[in-house]
Amino acid sequence: MLVTFIAFEAMAVGTAMPTAVAELHGLAWYAWPFSAFLVASVVGMVVGGDLGDRRGPRVALPWGVGAFSAGLLTAGLAGNMAVFVAGRAVQGFGAGVIAVLLYVIAGQAYEPALRPRLFGAISAAWVLPALVGPLVAGLLTTHASWRLVFLGLLPLIVLGLALVLPAVRALPAPETPAAPGPARRWWALLAGVGIGLLQYAGQLRDALALLLAAAGLAALLAGLRPLLPTGTGRARRGLPAVVASRGLLAGAFFGLDALLPLTLTQVHGFSATAAGIPLTAGAVGWAAASQLQGRFPDAPRARLLRLGFTLLALGLGATALAVVPALGGWPAYGTWAVAGLGMGLGMPSVGVLLLDQSPEHRRGADSAALQIADVTASALCVGLAGVLVAAAAVGALALPVAILCSIGVFTLLALAGVGIAGRAAAPVPGQESPADATTLAAS
């Protein structure tokens, strides 16, 4: 229930945002509620990982759900844009904490043979929100109030916590608590600010954009280095390759996922409803493949990851057919389902590989690294697509060309994942020290 309603909020908030911003007289701040959520979620991931390692999910989960609920309440009752943005930041912090603790709980409460099915269930919990979230949010916003998109979830979130809390409290506290690392939280904040600056720079079309982009990239790289396993950029065998794979999967898929509706509406004149159907097909494909992989707990996860990247690359590359005017955009209905199948095989496999290779005392920090790679790569790829679309908007290149360039980049990312998927398996004894694979750069 917690996953489902957090997913609903993620899917639905974009529908309500234009009305909320207009009522709060904050059109100039339109991007800030999204950026505040993203920056705060990166900090929340690190805090959640640290709390999970030091005190366990029995203590950390109520704090994460409490922050998420406080953010919902603040945003839903906001009387001006500044309070609304603050509410979104608190909400993002709580969501980041919860996302990491899901992995900590999975590692502590589920034996390895059950984890593929568990991650399949978590993926399935995103399907219903993907199908009905935007529709429900649109109906609430149109016929009642946009505030219900936030306030209406509060009792459901509380119910979800009440159901899971007794089981979480039964989990033992960590036997060897990790030493606190307060500096990691500042590095996470720096990385989040870097992401925010890069997103903001993508909305500008002047010299200031270049300065902001350079500052954002520098902040992002400086902040990420202490937060990710050493060797992640080189996809070194073991845990670094697992974290890198998560970033490649998320960046490639969500980069084009954000661009696909624009392609169908602007290039082919689809209605908003018709343009959203391929996204639904992708969500259904994701859930179906997640359930399928859960039925084969003994299947080598690195092989499933490679197959997932292969299907993702095939789906991404074939989606270029949707840009061809003569084909009317209809190929996207099938190609995006293929991309969803790839994600359904790849994402659960990455989660299983992480838990298999992460020692218990570092499971929170390593889970945070996985989530940070996901968020960072998604933001960068969506930002890249936005820059290319902005260039098309000012006539620097045609919109179909901008879309094809984006598809080309994202397909290359998926093909790179095919190449490194084999490194995500645990290192062979004698070739590389498992301790080296999980060591983080000194903060």
Side-chain angles (χ1 to χ4, degrees):
M1 286 184 68
L2 288 176
V3 173
T4 297
F5 294 125
I6 290 173
F8 175 86
E9 180 67 11
M11 298 292 180
V13 69
T15 304
M17 194 64 70
T19 303
V21 169
E23 184 175 315
L24 296 175
H25 307 290
L27 186 60
W29 290 31
Y30 183 80
W32 285 102
F34 297 100
S35 297
F37 184 97
L38 190 62
V39 171
S41 70
V42 174
V43 180
M45 290 168 189
V46 171
V47 172
D50 290 346
L51 282 175
D53 287 337
R54 289 191 290 115
R55 306 190 66 181
R58 56 192 293 176
V59 174
L61 185 63
W63 282 101
V65 175
F68 186 79
S69 300
L72 287 174
L73 183 64
T74 303
L77 297 178
N80 58 66
M81 198 63 185
V83 175
F84 184 70
V85 171
R88 289 287 291 163
V90 175
Q91 189 182 341
F93 179 85
V97 172
I98 295 169
V100 170
L101 291 178
L102 288 176
Y103 285 83
V104 177
I105 293 171
Q108 192 173 5
Y110 292 81
E111 61 186 44
L114 291 177
R115 291 171 188 167
R117 291 176 59 191
L118 172 66
F119 285 114
I122 290 175
S123 295
W126 280 81
V127 174
L128 184 61
L131 293 175
V132 305
L135 175 62
V136 172
L139 292 174
L140 288 174
T141 302
T142 302
H143 299 291
S145 170
W146 61 267
R147 298 180 185 275
L148 290 179
V149 175
F150 299 93
L151 299 178
L153 284 183
L154 278 172
L156 301 175
I157 291 290
V158 172
L159 176 60
L161 179 63
L163 289 173
V164 75
L165 197 55
V168 173
R169 282 179 171 169
L171 297 175
E175 295 182 1
T176 56
R184 284 170 44 81
R185 304 175 188 183
W186 294 108
W187 290 119
L189 180 60
L190 182 63
V193 169
I195 294 173
L197 287 174
L198 286 170
Q199 283 193 323
Y200 184 61
Q203 301 170 15
L204 304 177
R205 303 188 186 99
D206 52 25
L208 179 61
L210 296 177
L211 294 176
L212 290 176
L217 183 60
L220 177 61
L221 293 177
L224 286 180
R225 186 172 181 180
L227 301 177
L228 302 181
T230 303
T232 299
R234 294 178 280 110
R236 196 172 70 187
R237 178 173 292 279
L239 198 59
V242 174
V243 174
S245 295
R246 176 63 173 260
L248 290 173
L249 282 169
F253 182 84
F254 290 113
L256 190 52
D257 190 71
L259 195 57
L260 191 54
L262 178 70
T263 302
L264 297 177
T265 55
Q266 297 296 318
V267 177
H268 299 291
F270 279 31
S271 67
T273 301
I277 292 177
L279 304 186
T280 300
V284 172
W286 187 328
S290 295
Q291 294 299 308
L292 179 63
Q293 61 81 35
R295 295 178 180 271
F296 302 95
D298 297 328
R301 293 293 124 182
R303 293 183 184 178
L304 285 181
L305 178 59
R306 175 172 283 133
L307 178 58
F309 269 122
T310 301
L311 289 173
L312 177 60
L314 179 62
L316 290 167
T319 302
L321 296 173
V323 187
V324 178
L327 298 179
W330 298 108
Y333 284 66
T335 61
W336 206 238
V338 174
L341 290 172
M343 294 295 284
L345 293 178
M347 284 295 220
S349 297
V350 165
V352 172
L353 286 165
L354 176 90
L355 295 182
D356 287 346
Q357 299 179 43
S358 179
E360 184 176 355
H361 69 279
R362 285 208 45 83
R363 197 162 279 155
D366 292 338
S367 300
L370 195 76
Q371 297 291 335
I372 290 170
D374 183 309
V375 169
T376 302
S378 298
L380 291 177
C381 288
V382 172
L384 172 63
V387 168
L388 290 172
V389 170
V394 298
L397 71 167
L399 180 60
V401 174
I403 295 169
L404 288 173
C405 289
S406 299
I407 292 174
V409 172
F410 302 148
T411 303
L412 288 175
L413 291 179
L415 290 173
V418 174
I420 73 170
R423 303 183 197 172
V428 178
Q431 288 187 356
E432 183 177 13
S433 169
D436 289 341
T438 57
T439 300
L440 299 185
S443 58

